[in-house]
Amino acid sequence: MEPFVFFGGKGGVGKTTVSCAYGVKSARSGLDTLVVSTDPAHSVSDVFEQSFGDDPQPVDGVDGLSAMEIDPDTEVQRHLNGIRQSLSDQVSAAMVNEITQQLEMAHQTPGAYESALFDRFVDVMRESDPYDRVVFDTSPTGSTLRLLGLPEFLEGWIDRLMHKREKSIDLFEKAAIGNNEPRRVMDGDPVLNRLRERKEFFEFAGGALRSDAAFFFVLNPDQLSVNETRRAIGEMADNDLAVRGLVANKLTPEPDDDEDGRGARYLRDRVNTETERLAEVRETLDPPLVAEIESRTAEVKGSLLDDVADELDVETAAEAPTFVG
């Protein structure tokens, strides 16, 4: 199994429970493991019943397991501050205020969260040396797919920006000849250097996701969840990212044979419907079902988390990174 494992799925299917359970499973098998949440709901803290922040902290009661929760608002502000600082070093003082105003407006624009979170979780991958396995509890499907699709999209975008910048500098150099020698403005151009750095960053991210990461989707046994999972698998394929397996969560437990009350009849009908959905998953979706997890009457914490971990038929042995490092 690759060192970086992502669990995705639509909101409410139980990604956090499964991510934390797999983190426990990996740690119990002797791997130094980090669970990283990019979900603004901060549910990892709820599952482990302790608070986590932006830096990894040990999980109480589980040797070898740490967790961290990336706050989207904090990351967006940090991301925009970095852009502000970088641009402020390259433009006149008169432009700094205008840049600040534009960046403040950008804080709430679509894509700001995705871009900031993407930078942060790639940094986590780059700085993962202390850990054998890093498990990502991602945000709901749409946001995750936009996140994972960024490398391919932004590599092309930056290529076009670099071409325009180089063409602009070339025209400037040709018009600024002194002593019959062109001014070599392109050498050391800060904007062009920044664009090249970003291009290398996204090339690294794309390579890391394709070579050193495994992706799983969590779904519930209902038609809406199955349909969204099918679309998500297709979108992942469009980004050259394969889905390793599917986890069916929140299955209805079947009543005993001698039970025949109204509740038992409802449960049997529900189980029959879910059985049809699971058959559809097996027959029409390529990734295999690696776990079928029944609903619990209590919240999944403590020993119940170990029970869920035991139900996950997902390899824990970690390969060394082939791209990251």
Side-chain angles (χ1 to χ4, degrees):
M1 179 65 70
E2 291 81 353
F4 307 110
V5 178
F6 290 76
F7 287 95
K10 70 188 291 287
V13 295
K15 297 182 299 298
T16 299
T17 299
V18 174
S19 299
C20 293
Y22 183 65
V24 169
K25 186 181 182 75
S26 296
R28 299 281 196 222
S29 68
L31 301 180
D32 286 325
T33 302
L34 174 65
V35 175
V36 181
S37 175
T38 61
D39 192 334
H42 300 306
S43 300
V44 168
S45 290
D46 296 332
V47 171
F48 289 122
E49 298 183 285
Q50 67 182 95
S51 296
F52 298 102
D54 191 55
D55 296 315
Q57 295 174 249
V59 174
D60 295 339
V62 186
D63 292 339
L65 181 62
S66 298
M68 61 185 290
E69 292 184 319
I70 299 173
D71 182 73
D73 285 318
T74 300
E75 287 308 314
V76 170
Q77 194 59 54
R78 181 183 299 168
H79 184 68
L80 295 179
N81 286 343
I83 295 173
R84 181 187 295 111
Q85 183 61 49
S86 177
L87 291 176
S88 296
D89 294 340
Q90 299 165 19
V91 300
S92 65
M95 288 291 294
V96 173
N97 287 339
E98 179 64 25
I99 289 172
T100 299
Q101 291 177 12
Q102 294 296 327
L103 289 175
E104 289 302 323
M105 293 170 59
H107 190 288
Q108 299 298 328
T109 57
Y113 274 27
E114 284 85 356
S115 181
L117 285 174
F118 184 81
D119 278 20
R120 186 70 179 94
F121 87 58
V122 173
D123 285 341
V124 170
M125 294 172 75
R126 275 179 157 167
E127 299 162 5
S128 63
D129 284 349
Y131 303 101
D132 304 307
R133 160 75 32 73
V134 181
V135 183
F136 288 91
D137 168 34
T138 68
S139 49
T141 307
S143 297
T144 299
L145 292 174
R146 286 193 294 272
L147 216 60
L148 299 178
L150 278 175
E152 184 174 358
F153 171 76
L154 290 178
E155 280 181 47
W157 180 65
I158 288 177
D159 278 339
R160 293 191 293 274
L161 286 178
M162 289 175 61
H163 174 73
K164 290 181 182 296
R165 181 68 176 177
E166 289 169 349
K167 185 175 180 180
S168 174
I169 292 173
D170 183 58
L171 291 172
F172 179 79
E173 288 178 343
K174 289 176 180 176
I177 296 176
N179 298 324
N180 298 321
E181 291 291 334
R183 293 174 59 188
R184 301 306 302 165
V185 179
M186 197 175 300
D187 295 337
D189 174 63
V191 175
L192 197 54
N193 287 342
R194 177 62 175 166
L195 290 172
R196 286 172 178 154
E197 288 174 4
R198 294 302 286 172
K199 178 176 170 60
E200 290 171 3
F201 177 86
F202 289 118
E203 287 174 342
F204 168 85
L209 290 171
R210 292 181 179 89
S211 301
D212 291 334
F215 300 92
F216 294 84
F217 278 124
V218 182
L219 58 88
N220 295 153
D222 61 72
Q223 196 66 63
L224 288 177
S225 185
V226 172
N227 290 347
E228 181 156 347
T229 301
R230 178 180 289 106
R231 287 191 292 269
I233 292 170
E235 291 183 47
M236 292 282 283
D238 291 342
N239 288 297
D240 295 324
L241 297 169
V243 177
R244 181 69 60 84
L246 305 174
V247 176
N249 191 36
K250 299 183 180 179
L251 274 62
T252 301
E254 190 162 5
D256 294 335
D257 292 340
D258 59 351
E259 294 183 80
D260 195 36
R262 180 182 178 189
R265 291 194 297 272
Y266 166 80
L267 290 176
R268 286 195 184 90
D269 288 344
R270 183 66 196 161
V271 168
N272 289 337
T273 300
E274 292 177 0
T275 300
E276 293 175 3
R277 296 290 80 74
L278 292 180
E280 179 183 349
V281 167
R282 293 190 185 91
E283 293 168 5
T284 65
L285 302 182
D286 288 335
L289 273 172
V290 296
E292 298 178 26
I293 302 169
E294 285 190 354
S295 294
R296 266 61 175 183
T297 55
E299 295 177 354
V300 179
K301 301 176 183 178
S303 61
L304 285 180
L305 199 60
D306 286 300
D307 292 344
V308 173
D310 291 339
E311 295 180 37
L312 289 172
D313 185 17
V314 181
E315 180 61 63
T316 56
E319 298 176 355
T322 59
F323 192 89
V324 178

